[in-house]
C-alpha cells in the first residue's frame, strides 16, 4: 500500500521528541519521566493488564494514548461496562481501566428494568414503582368514573311505555295481522303496590336493596366475565340495575360497553332517585308474561283483580313470573319450548319458586310464619287473555312463527315484544281456512256434547300440512279458537301416534336390514339382511316377542311380552299366521311390526324416525318392543314433515314457518332450506308404495282422493285415547290427530280420556274421523293442481322368512274362524306335502310359537301373565297385554 495511504506505525516510545526528552533526563519537562520510574508503589499497577511486574508503556500524546487503549481493549465500549467485569482480578480486581465506568448512571423516569441490579433483581419492580402505578390506576378509574357519571342521565321509566307492532304476512305477501307490540301497561303509584309484593321481590332478587348503592360489584364482575368468555350474559343485576335496564329498551344488547354504561346510570339513579320510586318504577316496567308490562297489568292478566288487592301468595307467584314467564306461567308456553315449557313442568317450577320466595320472606323478617302457612299451593290463575285479533287460527299461527324465530334465529322474545318487525310466514291463507272448515264440518256432524256428555266433551283435533319440496308449513289446525283454547294442537301435545310409527320401522328394515338370526355370539353377528316388503312375519295375536338372542322379551315384572293386535285378531294362515310386510301394514298388524322392530334393533328404528324428521326428545320408551307401534308423541307438524321425507324420495327438510323477517334497516332473517338424504330413494319409494296399499285397499280407504295417488297410514292407540291419519301426495303431506283431553289449566293432573262411544262410534280409529278430515281438506287444498304420480320403486332387499307355509288343517273350528281377520289373508302357496316346522321358518321365534297355536288365537302353553290394566289406561309399564303404557293398536 502507498505511503500516502497508510502511515508507518509509530514506535511505542512516543516518537523522536519523546526519545529526546527521555535521553536528556531533565526533570523540568512536562512529562519528565514515565510512571514507575520513581520506584514508588503508587506508580505501578502491580499485576496490571500488561502482566505482573511489567512497566506501562509510554505514549507520545493523548491521541496516541487513545489509539493504544483501543488496540488493547480498553476503548469506549469497554470503558462503559461495569468495573471489574472480565478482569483477571475478579469482579473487583484491578484489571479494568477506569475510563467512563467511573461516571454515575443517568437517571430514568421509570427505573425498569432496574439499573445497577443484576439477574432477577433487575426485573423485580421497586416499591416506589408499584406504589406509583397503583395510585395512577386508581386515579384513572376515578377520572373515568367521574366522566362517566357526568355524561349519563337518569332515564324516565314512563318513556318506555310505547312499543311497535309486528306485522305478520301470509305466504302470498298479504297482511295477516299486526300484533305483538301492544303496551299492556298501567302505571300505579308506590302506595298502590302491596307491601308483600315489594318484599317478595326484595327477598328473591336483591335482599340488600334498601341499603345498597344500586350495584353489586361481585355480581357485575361475574356477569362481565361471563360475557367475555361467552357464558350467560344475564345476572349480576340489582333491582336498581333492572330498573335501569327496563327504562332503556332502546339498548338491550348484551355487551360489556352497555353493562358499564348501565353501572354508571345505576349509580346516578341510586344517588338521585328515592328507593320508593326505584321500586315502583321497576314493578311498573317489568315484564310478567302474557303481554303484561307492570304489576297492574300482570294482576289483571293472571288474577283479574287490581294489584292493590293481591295477597302474599299471589305476590310471591308474580315475583316468580319475573324470572321468565315462558317457564313459569302455569298455562305453559309450548310454542316456544314444547318439551320444557309444558303445563305440568311450568306449574311445578312456579310452585317451587313461589314457596321459596315465601320462605325467604319469613327468613328476612318480611312475613310472619302464620301468614306464610296459608299459601302452600298455586293460586287460582286465570286462563290467558288474548288479543281479539288473534282469534280463530291466527293466534296459533302467530305463536308458531314467534316460537320458530326465538328458537332458530338471533331474534329474542324481548326483541319481538318490543316490535317493529315485518314477519313473512309460510302459511297459505286458503289452505288454513280449508283445514279449519274440514275439521268444523266433521265436528258439527258428529260431535255433540249435549247429546253425549260422557263421550263427546273435551274432543280435540289437531292438524298440519307441509310442503315436501321445501319443508314450509302451509297450514295448521291448533284448536277451535286461539283465544279460548290455548294449547296448539298442531304443536307438541303429548298425544301418542300409534301405528303411524310403523313406516319408520319398515324404512329401518330396508335401510339397515335385520340382524343375523343366529344371534350376537355367532361369527356372522355383524351381518344384516336388507328386508323386502315381501318378507313374511307372524300376524298371530298375543305373539311372544323375542329379542336378538332369541329369548322371549320380559318386562320389569319378569312377565313374558305377548303382543296383541287390534281387536285381538290374528292375521295370516294358521298355524304360522305368516303375513308379508305389505299386508301387515295394510291391516296394521302389530305383532308383525313389533317383531320386525326387534329384529332390526330398536336403536335403528329410533334412528330412522329421527332421520325422517321426528324430534329425538319426543320419542319415548325406545327400549321397549311397543316403541315400534307408536307410544311416542311427536307433534302433528313433525309427523307431517317426517312423512314428507318419504314423499320426496328420502330427502328430509325440517318444517319451518317463517320465510323472511325485515325491520326498518332491512332484512334481519332469511330462511335457507337445508336438505339431507335421510333415506336412499329405493328405501323411501318402497315405503311409499307400501303405504299406497293402505289407502287403496286397507285401513285408510276413507282418505282416497279423486284421480290422485295417496300414501298414508292410520294410527289408533291402546285405550282408544287418540287416533291419527297421516298421508301425502307428491305435493303435500298432512297429518290429522283426534283425542280427548281435559284442557282445564287449573287441574294438576290433566289426562287423556278414552274415546269409546265418541261421536256415536263404538271406537274411534284413524280410519274414521281423522281420515275423513284429511280427505275433505286435501281435496280442496289440491284443487287446480295437476295430479302427480309417485316414483316407481326399485326392487329392494331379500324376502326374509321366505319358506312355504304348512298346509292348514281342513277342518276349522268356529272359534278359530272368529280369531282370524275378516279381511282376505295374503295369498300363500300351500305345497304338499307340508314341510316340518323347522323348515318353514328362518327365525327361531317363527317356529316356537307356530307349534303352540290354538283356538284361543295363538296363546302358548306357557302361563299367561296376569293383566291388571286390561282397559288400556296407559298407566302401567310393560304389562302382559302389549307393553309400555299398554302398547298401541292399529
Amino acid at each position: 500500500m502507498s505511503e500516502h495511504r497508510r502511515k508507518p506505525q509509530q514506535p511505542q516510545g512516543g516518537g523522536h521528541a519523546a526519545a529526546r526528552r527521555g535521553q536528556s533526563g531533565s526533570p523540568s519537562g512536562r512529562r519528565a519521566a514515565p510512571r514507575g520510574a520513581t520506584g514508588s508503589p503508587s506508580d505501578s499497577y502491580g499485576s496490571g493488564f500488561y502482566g505482573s511486574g511489567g512497566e506501562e508503556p509510554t505514549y507520545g500524546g493523548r491521541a496516541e494514548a487513545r489509539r493504544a487503549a483501543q488496540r488493547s481493549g480498553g476503548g469506549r465500549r469497554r470503558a462503559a461496562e461495569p468495573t471489574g467485569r472480565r478482569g483477571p482480578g475478579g469482579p473487583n480486581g484491578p484489571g479494568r481501566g477506569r475510563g467512563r465506568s467511573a461516571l454515575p448512571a443517568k437517571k430514568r423516569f421509570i427505573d425498569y428494568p432496574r439499573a445497577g441490579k443484576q439477574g432477577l433483581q433487575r426485573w423485580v419492580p421497586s416499591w416506589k414503582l408499584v406504589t406509583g402505578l397503583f395510585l395512577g390506576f386508581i386515579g384513572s378509574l376515578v377520572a373515568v368514573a367521574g366522566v362517566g357519571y357526568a355524561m349519563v342521565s337518569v332515564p324516565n321509566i314512563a318513556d318506555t311505555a310505547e312499543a311497535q307492532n309486528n306485522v305478520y304476512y301470509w305466504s302470498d305477501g298479504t297482511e295477516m295481522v299486526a300484533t305483538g307490540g301492544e303496551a299492556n301497561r298501567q302505571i300505579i303509584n308506590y302506595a298502590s303496590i302491596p307491601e308483600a309484593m315489594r318484599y317478595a321481590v326484595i327477598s328473591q332478587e336483591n335482599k340488600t336493596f334498601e341499603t345498597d348503592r344500586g350495584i353489586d360489584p361481585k355480581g357485575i364482575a361475574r356477569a362481565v366475565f361471563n360475557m367475555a368468555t361467552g357464558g350467560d350474559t344475564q345476572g349480576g343485576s340489582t333491582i336498581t340495575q333492572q330498573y335501569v335496564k327496563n327504562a332503556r329498551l332502546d339498548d338491550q344488547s348484551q355487551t360489556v360497553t352497555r353493562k358499564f354504561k348501565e353501572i354508571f346510570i345505576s349509580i346516578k339513579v341510586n344517588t338521585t332517585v328515592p328507593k320508593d320510586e326505584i321500586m315502583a318504577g321497576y314493578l311498573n316496567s317489568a315484564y310478567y308474561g302474557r303481554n303484561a308490562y307492570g304489576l297492574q297489568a300482570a294482576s289483571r292478566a293472571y288474577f283479574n283483580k287490581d294489584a292493590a288487592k293481591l295477597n302474599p301468595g299471589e305476590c310471591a307467584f308474580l315475583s316468580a313470573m319475573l324470572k321468565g314467564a315462558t317457564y313459569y306461567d302455569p298455562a305453559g308456553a309450548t310454542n316456544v319450548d314444547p318439551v320444557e315449557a309444558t303445563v305440568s313442568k311450568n306449574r311445578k317450577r312456579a310452585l317451587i319458586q313461589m314457596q321459596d320466595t315465601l320462605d325467604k320472606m319469613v327468613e328476612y323478617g318480611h312475613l310472619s310464619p302464620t301468614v306464610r302457612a296459608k299459601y302452600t299451593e298455586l293460586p287460582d290463575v286465570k286462563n290467558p287473555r288474548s288479543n281479539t285479533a288473534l282469534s280463530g287460527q291466527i293466534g296459533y299461527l302467530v305463536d308458531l312463527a314467534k316460537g320458530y324465530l326465538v328458537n332458530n334465529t338471533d331474534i329474542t322474545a324481548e326483541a319481538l315484544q318490543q316490535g317493529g318487525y315485518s314477519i313473512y310466514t309460510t302459511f297459505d291463507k286458503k289452505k288454513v281456512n280449508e283445514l279449519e272448515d274440514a275439521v268444523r264440518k266433521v265436528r258439527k256432524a258428529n260431535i255433540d256434547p249435549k247429546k253425549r256428555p260422557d263421550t263427546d266433551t273435551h274432543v280435540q283435533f289437531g292438524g298440519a300440512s307441509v310442503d315436501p319440496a321445501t319443508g314450509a308449513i302451509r297450514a295448521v289446525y291448533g284448536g277451535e279458537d286461539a283465544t279460548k283454547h290455548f294449547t296448539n294442537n298442531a304443536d307438541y301435545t303429548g298425544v301418542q301416534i300409534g301405528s303411524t310409527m310403523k313406516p319408520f320401522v319398515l324404512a329401518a328394515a330396508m335401510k339397515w336390514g335385520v340382524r343375523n338370526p343366529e344371534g350376537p355370539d355367532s361369527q356372522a353377528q355383524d351381518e344384516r339382511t336388507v328386508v323386502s316388503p315381501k318378507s313374511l312375519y307372524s300376524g298371530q295375536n298375543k305373539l311372544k316377542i323375542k329379542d336378538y338372542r332369541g329369548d322371549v322379551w320380559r318386562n320389569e315384572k319378569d312377565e313374558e311380552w305377548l303382543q296383541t293386535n287390534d281387536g285381538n285378531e290374528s292375521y295370516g294362515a294358521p298355524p304360522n299366521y305368516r303375513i308379508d310386510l305389505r299386508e301387515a301394514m295394510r291391516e296394521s298388524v302389530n305383532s308383525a311390526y313389533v317383531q320386525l322392530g326387534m329384529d332390526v334393533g330398536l336403536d335403528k328404528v329410533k334412528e330412522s324416525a329421527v332421520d325422517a324428521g321426528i324430534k329425538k326428545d319426543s320419542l319415548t320408551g325406545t327400549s321397549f318392543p311397543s316403541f315400534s307401534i307408536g307410544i311416542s308423541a311427536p307433534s302433528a307438524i313433525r309427523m307431517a314433515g317426517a312423512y314428507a321425507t318419504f314423499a320426496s324420495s328420502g330427502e328430509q327438510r325440517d318444517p319451518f314457518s317463517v320465510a323472511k323477517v325485515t325491520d326498518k334497516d332491512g332484512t334481519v332473517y332469511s330462511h335457507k332450506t337445508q336438505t339431507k338424504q335421510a333415506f336412499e330413494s329405493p328405501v323411501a319409494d318402497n315405503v311409499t308404495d307400501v303405504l299406497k296399499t293402505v289407502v287403496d285397499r286397507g285401513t285408510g280407504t276413507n282418505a282416497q282422493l279423486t284421480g290422485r295417488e295417496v300414501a298414508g297410514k292410520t294410527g289408533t292407540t291402546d285405550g282408544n285415547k287418540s287416533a291419527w291419519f297421516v298421508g301425502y301426495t307428491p305435493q303435500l303431506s298432512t297429518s290429522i290427530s283426534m283425542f280427548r283431553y281435559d284442557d282445564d289449566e287449573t287441574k294438576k293432573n290433566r289426562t287423556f280420556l278414552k274415546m269409546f262411544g265418541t261421536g256415536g262410534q263404538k271406537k274411534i280409529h284413524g280410519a274414521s274421523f281423522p281420515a275423513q278430515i284429511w280427505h275433505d281438506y286435501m281435496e280442496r287444498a289440491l284443487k287446480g293442481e295437476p295430479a302427480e304420480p309417485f316414483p316407481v320403486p326399485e326392487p329392494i332387499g331379500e324376502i326374509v322368512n321366505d319358506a312355504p307355509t304348512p298346509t292348514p288343517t281342513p277342518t276349522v273350528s268356529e272359534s278359530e274362524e272368529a280369531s282370524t281377520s275378516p279381511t282376505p289373508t295374503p295369498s300363500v302357496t300351500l305345497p304338499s306335502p307340508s314341510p316340518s316346522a323347522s323348515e318353514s321358518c328362518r327365525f327361531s321365534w317363527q317356529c316356537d310359537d307356530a307349534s303352540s297355536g290354538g283356538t284361543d288365537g295363538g296363546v302358548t302353553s306357557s302361563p299367561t301373565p296376569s293383566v291388571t290394566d286390561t282397559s288400556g289406561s296407559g298407566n302401567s309399564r310393560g304389562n302382559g297385554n302389549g307393553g309400555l303404557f299398554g302398547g298401541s293398536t292399529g
Side-chain angles (χ1 to χ4, degrees), residues 502-510 513-515 528-533 535-538 543 545-546 580-582 584-585 589-602 604-605 625 628 800-801 843 845-846:
K502 289 173 183 173
F504 306 123
V505 182
L506 180 60
M510 292 192 292
V514 295
R515 293 175 288 193
R528 284 180 173 268
T529 302
V530 174
V531 171
S532 164
S535 298
L536 301 175
Y537 272 77
S538 176
L543 178 70
I545 301 301
K546 298 193 174 181
D580 71 35
L581 294 177
R582 180 184 297 274
M585 185 74 76
V589 181
N590 290 340
S591 55
Y593 274 91
V594 168
Q595 187 59 60
L596 176 63
M598 296 296 284
D599 292 346
V600 174
L602 296 180
K604 296 301 183 185
V605 175
S628 295
V800 176
N801 305 322
F843 289 171
W845 58 266
Q846 293 280 4

Side-chain angles (χ1 to χ4, degrees), residues 778-799:
M778 291 289 281
E779 282 281 16
R780 296 179 61 187
L782 296 173
K783 187 177 181 179
E785 295 189 24
E788 296 182 8
F790 288 115
V792 177
E794 299 177 12
I796 192 172
E798 298 181 21
I799 303 177

